């Protein structure tokens, strides 16, 4: 699936090359020349992944990565560092500050696209087109279909995204605010009760196949997708 990628690179030729190849791979690329510009972009909307050059004018890429990891809102954004520095200690330093991967220049665009796909599959599976099968449900992002025991279920687009996110993060409790950020986008301003409305719609869509109990309410915390029984009441 197309991912929203923030590319932070100050060399125009390299920026253009990377952006063109990512666009060719189907991703949407937002560009920044320095950490300050990147910070403003992230403040407006969270990207699915950040490609971050180590050496930048002003604040370094390492410093920007530290800022992202220190802020609860941005701490989970996948980061891939881009750098001409290939020494082992530099790689260790990048990983220690929280980078998910480290790509040394020069690199092939094909390798970079593959690295991005691997990091997204590991850190943000809801952005991939991998089929998810769990608890008797099968969700296919490529065809936008959900089935239970080979019987197709009708879901609206928001309920589909909501189920996709929950199924790719099973057994974890997500607050309403977190679900708004991940499913609607943190730049969209809607009330938290909107989540409750769509959870009810999702349960109604799953009820004919008796899979609605997989969407569980955790009182005072939020919702989770779980194949295990729970004492938490659904609402």
């Amino acid at each position: 699936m197309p991912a929203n990628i923030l590319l932070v690179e100050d060399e125009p030729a390299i920026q253009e090359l990377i952006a063109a190849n990512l666009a060719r791979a189907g991703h949407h690329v937002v560009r920044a020349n320095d950490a300050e510009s990147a910070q403003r972009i992230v403040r407006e909307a969270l990207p699915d992944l950040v490609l971050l050059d180590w050496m930048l004018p002003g604040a370094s890429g390492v410093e920007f990565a530290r800022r992202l990891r220190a802020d609860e809102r941005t701490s989970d954004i996948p980061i891939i560092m881009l750098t001409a520095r290939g020494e082992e200690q530099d790689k260790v330093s990048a990983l220690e500050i929280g980078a998910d991967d480290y790509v040394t220049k020069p690199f092939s665009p094909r390798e970079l696209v593959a690295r991005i796909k691997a990091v997204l599959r590991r850190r943000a599976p809801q952005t991939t087109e991998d089929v998810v099968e769990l608890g008797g449900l099968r969700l296919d992002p490529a065809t936008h279909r959900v089935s239970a025991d080979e019987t197709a279920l009708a879901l609206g687009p928001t309920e589909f995204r909501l189920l996709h996110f929950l199924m790719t993060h099973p057994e974890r409790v997500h607050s309403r605010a977190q679900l708004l950020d991940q499913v609607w986008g943190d730049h969209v301003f809607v009330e938290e009760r909107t989540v409750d409305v769509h959870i009810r719609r999702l349960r109604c869509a799953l009820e004919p196949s008796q899979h609605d109990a997989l969407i569980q309410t955790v009182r005072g915390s939020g919702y989770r997708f779980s194949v295990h029984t729970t004492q938490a009441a659904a609402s």
Side-chain angles (χ1 to χ4, degrees), residues 2 143 145 148:
T143 61
R145 291 175 178 167

Side-chain angles (χ1 to χ4, degrees), residues 185-204:
D186 79 327
H187 60 293
V188 178
F189 299 99
V190 293
E191 295 183 359
E192 290 189 1
R193 70 182 67 182
T194 300
V195 175
D196 300 333
V197 172
H198 287 280
I199 286 287
R200 284 197 294 272
R201 290 179 182 173
L202 176 56
R203 284 177 173 149
C204 287

Side-chain angles (χ1 to χ4, degrees), residues 92-217:
V92 170
S93 297
L95 296 174
E96 284 181 343
I97 62 171
D100 295 276
D101 203 352
Y102 183 107
V103 181
T104 305
K105 300 175 183 179
F107 51 81
S108 73
R110 186 175 179 181
E111 177 193 3
L112 180 60
V113 170
R115 296 281 194 100
I116 290 171
K117 185 176 181 180
V119 168
L120 288 174
R121 180 176 288 115
R122 184 171 70 250
R123 290 289 303 274
Q126 74 277 10
T127 65
T128 72
E129 291 190 338
D130 295 343
V131 172
V132 188
E133 295 189 69
L134 195 62
L137 291 177
R138 186 179 192 275
L139 184 148
D140 187 342
T143 61
H144 213 271
R145 291 175 178 167
V146 178
S147 60
D149 302 322
E150 299 186 359
T151 300
L153 302 177
L155 271 69
T158 301
E159 287 72 45
F160 183 91
R161 293 195 306 271
L162 185 56
L163 180 62
H164 191 195
F165 178 76
L166 291 171
M167 288 183 69
T168 51
H169 298 81
E171 309 301 335
R172 294 173 57 182
V173 179
H174 305 278
S175 69
R176 291 168 178 81
Q178 289 171 332
L179 290 173
L180 283 175
D181 286 351
Q182 296 294 335
V183 178
W184 280 261
D186 79 327
H187 60 293
V188 178
F189 299 99
V190 293
E191 295 183 359
E192 290 189 1
R193 70 182 67 182
T194 300
V195 175
D196 300 333
V197 172
H198 287 280
I199 286 287
R200 284 197 294 272
R201 290 179 182 173
L202 176 56
R203 284 177 173 149
C204 287
L206 299 179
E207 190 174 8
S209 64
Q210 299 183 333
H211 288 84
D212 51 305
L214 297 174
I215 311 299
Q216 299 174 356
T217 299

Side-chain angles (χ1 to χ4, degrees), residues 31-45:
R31 310 186 199 186
N33 298 318
D34 52 48
E36 286 68 29
S37 300
Q39 188 72 56
R40 289 194 293 271
I41 291 170
V42 170
R43 197 176 296 127
E44 291 295 322

Side-chain angles (χ1 to χ4, degrees), residues 8-10 32-35 52-62 64:
V8 191
E9 168 63 64
D10 65 316
N33 298 318
D34 52 48
L52 182 57
D53 186 30
W54 185 298
M55 301 298 292
L56 293 170
S60 69
V62 172
F64 181 55

